[in-house]
Amino acid sequence: MFSKPDSTLVIVGHGSTLNPDSSGPTWEHADAIAQSGAFGEVHCAFWKEEPSLRQVLHCVTKREVYVVPNFISEGYFTQTVIPRELGLDGPQTNVAGRTVKYCAPVGSHARMTDLLLKRAAAVAPGVPPKETSLFIVGHGTGLNDNSAVAAKREVERIRALGIFGEVIAAYMEEDPLIAKWDELSTQPNVVVVPFFIADGLHSYEDIPVLLGIADSSPGAASANAAGVFAQNPYRLRGRMLFYANSIGTEAGFAEVILDQVAAFDAAAA
Amino acid sequence: MMDTNAALADWLDKGGRRIGQIVIAKKNDGWELRHADDAAREDLHLFTKSADARPLANLDDAGAYRALKTAPNLRHGWRLVLPDVASVRSALDAFYPAMIGVQLARERGELVPVNLRDTLARQTGMYRVTQRLTDAEAQVLIARSCCSDGGCLKTILWRISPELPVNSLPAEKFTARGGDEWPLLCHEACNILVAAARKVVKGDTKEG
Ligand code: SF4
């Protein structure tokens, strides 16, 4: 088993000033790892919440610190914001007497593919994959455009496995648009997995509205946030539609965080 | 490096009893945390796990999300009974994130305050415009966002720039608590203040 009693793990999330859902999964993965005893201590840090990236190193009591971004892709936050706020200048940096080892973000680990497959199977039990179109939905615009690249990469990997009838990357705000899911897919069953780190406005409200499974009046879907997942399957536009929680709520993320630490060590060895 | 739980145990042994809006009492079966306003209440909902602290800290009395955990709007009506110092520490880390660690860093002489101009100068992307915040705007913004009465309970350790202290808040705002009260310290402007500075520069008058 993974054991680093003399090291600290810091899991970095984006966080939100609007709701607690954004940081929820990051805390859950941290709690699971802390309980496993894999590290001497485990902390979270956030861009928009506390502990902040500027505070967290003061809470660390070990000399060796692994930092794993709980982000879907490499991008502005992992390449600019997190290193800047923590004072990092490369994969390994000495910060005030601590050795900080900066790992790759969770979403770029190869095991993400397994988690997506697991989530897809769980949301549509007993549904034949060969007769299913699987959608991986990314945001797809703005600062973090690498999330679209990451979604495409996962789609290619899953497609290559030949399990599903078809596998399609779609986005909220750029082509191919998830709103056109029925035109983009051909199979009788449709599984939609949001490729996001947490449930929140996008998965509770925006995507359900785009799919046509929630009322578009503002706040209507959020008021019934969890309900949108409880009502699977949706019979809509001549198909059976299954809508999953954001991939980041998958408990297996905790293991992928540890995998990124192991990958850092392997690369440094 | 000093063990954090040992440092907290030491403070509690010496009579430490208050952090932010929370009072801590020694009980036969461990420690009890509650809102200071609820000191005399008998009708409090009992919680017994340090993991209960985060949901308690997340929402105010009206059920609104508390993005800033040092805002003076901690919810009422609960008491949290915990068996040992380690669980008190993890509960306090949820109620007042990083505040144990930041104070211990200060005691070790490792806490370096960062002036607002340096914090803003570091920003990139959508927050880069905050560099255009004028000194006068900064004073007004800080008075509104950081005031202990309605804004934030932390003690400010930074200045606007080396030559310019914050002069729009009373002197107590810059003096850390001590004795039986654990200090809540702001050694560098938080992202909420930086985001508010962006709104000022952008001329966005909406609250938030
Ligand atoms: S800048 Fe500091 S004092 Fe002001 S609101 Fe943020 S944390 Fe509180």
Side-chain angles (χ1 to χ4, degrees):
Chain A
M1 212 210 76
F2 203 94
S3 179
K4 288 186 176 286
D6 298 321
S7 307
T8 297
L9 172 66
V10 174
I11 308 173
V12 180
H14 187 279
S16 165
T17 54
L18 302 177
N19 66 70
D21 299 325
S22 167
S23 58
T26 303
W27 285 115
E28 279 160 29
H29 307 324
D31 290 344
I33 295 170
Q35 263 166 24
S36 78
F39 278 84
E41 63 181 0
V42 182
H43 294 288
C44 292
F46 300 94
W47 170 233
K48 290 274 180 184
E49 293 178 37
E50 296 179 301
S52 72
L53 290 157
R54 304 295 289 176
Q55 294 170 324
V56 71
L57 290 180
H58 291 304
C59 304
V60 162
T61 64
K62 311 287 180 191
R63 296 210 177 275
E64 184 179 62
V65 186
Y66 288 86
V67 174
V68 179
N70 192 26
F71 281 74
I72 279 298
S73 60
E74 292 283 2
Y76 176 63
F77 282 98
T78 63
Q79 289 162 353
T80 303
V81 177
I82 297 171
R84 181 190 79 210
E85 296 293 292
L86 290 176
L88 311 182
D89 55 18
Q92 184 164 318
T93 312
N94 190 300
V95 183
R98 297 180 179 89
T99 304
V100 180
K101 300 181 172 184
Y102 190 41
C103 308
V106 176
S108 63
H109 196 279
R111 279 194 41 206
M112 206 41 54
T113 314
D114 298 339
L115 296 185
L116 288 164
L117 288 171
K118 192 173 159 204
R119 178 57 50 103
V123 74
V127 175
K130 278 285 176 204
E131 293 162 29
T132 301
S133 303
L134 172 63
F135 279 92
I136 307 295
V137 185
H139 194 279
T141 189
L143 272 179
N144 238 339
D145 36 23
N146 282 341
S147 68
V149 176
K152 276 195 199 89
R153 182 195 61 224
E154 293 304 330
V155 162
E156 272 157 31
R157 283 183 186 158
I158 297 172
R159 195 179 280 149
L161 297 172
I163 299 171
F164 285 90
E166 60 192 350
V167 191
I168 305 162
Y171 308 99
M172 293 171 56
E173 295 183 0
E174 70 179 54
D175 279 330
L177 290 166
I178 187 60
K180 297 184 179 164
W181 61 272
D182 53 330
E183 295 170 29
L184 296 168
S185 63
T186 60
Q187 299 296 323
N189 306 297
V190 175
V191 170
V192 177
V193 182
F195 198 42
F196 292 104
I197 219 70
D199 277 326
L201 206 57
H202 292 330
S203 62
Y204 288 148
E205 189 164 330
D206 300 340
I207 298 174
V209 168
L210 293 169
L211 289 170
I213 60 174
D215 191 339
S216 61
S217 66
S222 284
N224 182 27
V228 76
F229 306 111
Q231 288 164 34
N232 280 318
Y234 294 87
R235 278 165 232 276
L236 196 67
R237 303 182 196 170
R239 316 290 185 81
M240 288 268 270
L241 176 75
F242 301 81
Y243 181 54
N245 293 82
S246 288
I247 191 62
T249 61
E250 177 67 42
F253 257 57
E255 280 162 48
V256 181
I257 290 169
L258 297 181
D259 288 343
Q260 287 300 34
V261 171
F264 182 97
D265 285 345
Chain B
M1 277 170 229
M2 173 110 176
D3 176 69
T4 310
N5 291 342
L8 184 62
D10 190 45
W11 177 73
L12 289 167
D13 274 352
K14 290 186 178 131
R17 290 298 177 262
R18 170 118 192 194
I19 175 167
Q21 292 180 285
I22 291 176
V23 283
I24 306 170
K26 181 91 186 85
K27 296 278 165 180
N28 293 335
D29 48 353
W31 299 93
E32 188 209 68
L33 279 57
R34 59 167 79 188
H35 196 302
D37 294 349
D38 292 343
R41 273 176 71 174
E42 303 280 347
D43 60 339
L44 300 174
H45 194 331
L46 173 67
F47 294 87
T48 55
K49 296 190 301 292
S50 54
D52 294 324
R54 197 174 304 129
L56 285 171
N58 266 343
L59 305 176
D60 67 12
D61 284 327
Y65 175 53
R66 301 174 68 234
L68 184 67
K69 299 293 184 279
T70 49
N73 59 354
L74 181 67
R75 74 195 272 183
H76 296 82
W78 53 271
R79 62 191 184 97
L80 179 58
V81 175
L82 299 167
D84 50 33
V85 172
S87 45
V88 171
R89 184 262 171 113
S90 67
L92 293 181
D93 276 347
F95 282 118
Y96 293 115
M99 291 294 97
I100 308 278
V102 165
Q103 161 64 4
L104 295 178
R106 176 171 170 251
E107 285 178 359
R108 292 193 301 268
E110 290 174 7
L111 192 69
V112 182
V114 178
N115 289 333
L116 182 65
R117 286 288 167 216
D118 294 331
T119 303
L120 299 184
R122 209 179 61 232
Q123 302 303 313
T124 54
M126 67 187 281
Y127 295 115
R128 196 192 294 274
V129 295
T130 58
Q131 290 154 19
R132 302 213 310 256
L133 188 77
T134 67
D135 288 343
E137 286 168 340
Q139 296 283 9
V140 172
L141 174 68
I142 294 161
R144 190 183 73 211
S145 301
C146 307
C147 64
S148 299
D149 175 16
C152 174
L153 295 170
K154 289 195 193 88
T155 296
I156 294 179
L157 302 180
W158 41 268
R159 300 160 76 94
I160 293 175
S161 62
E163 327 55 70
L164 183 64
V166 178
N167 56 29
S168 52
L169 283 169
E172 312 88 82
K173 187 66 186 173
F174 309 92
T175 316
R177 303 305 176 95
D180 72 349
E181 185 166 351
W182 190 277
L184 304 176
L185 303 176
C186 178
H187 71 287
E188 174 162 4
C190 67
N191 184 274
I192 289 173
L193 189 71
V194 174
R198 178 175 185 271
K199 287 193 171 182
V200 171
V201 172
K202 290 266 181 184
D204 184 344
T205 50
K206 284 196 292 288
E207 276 300 310

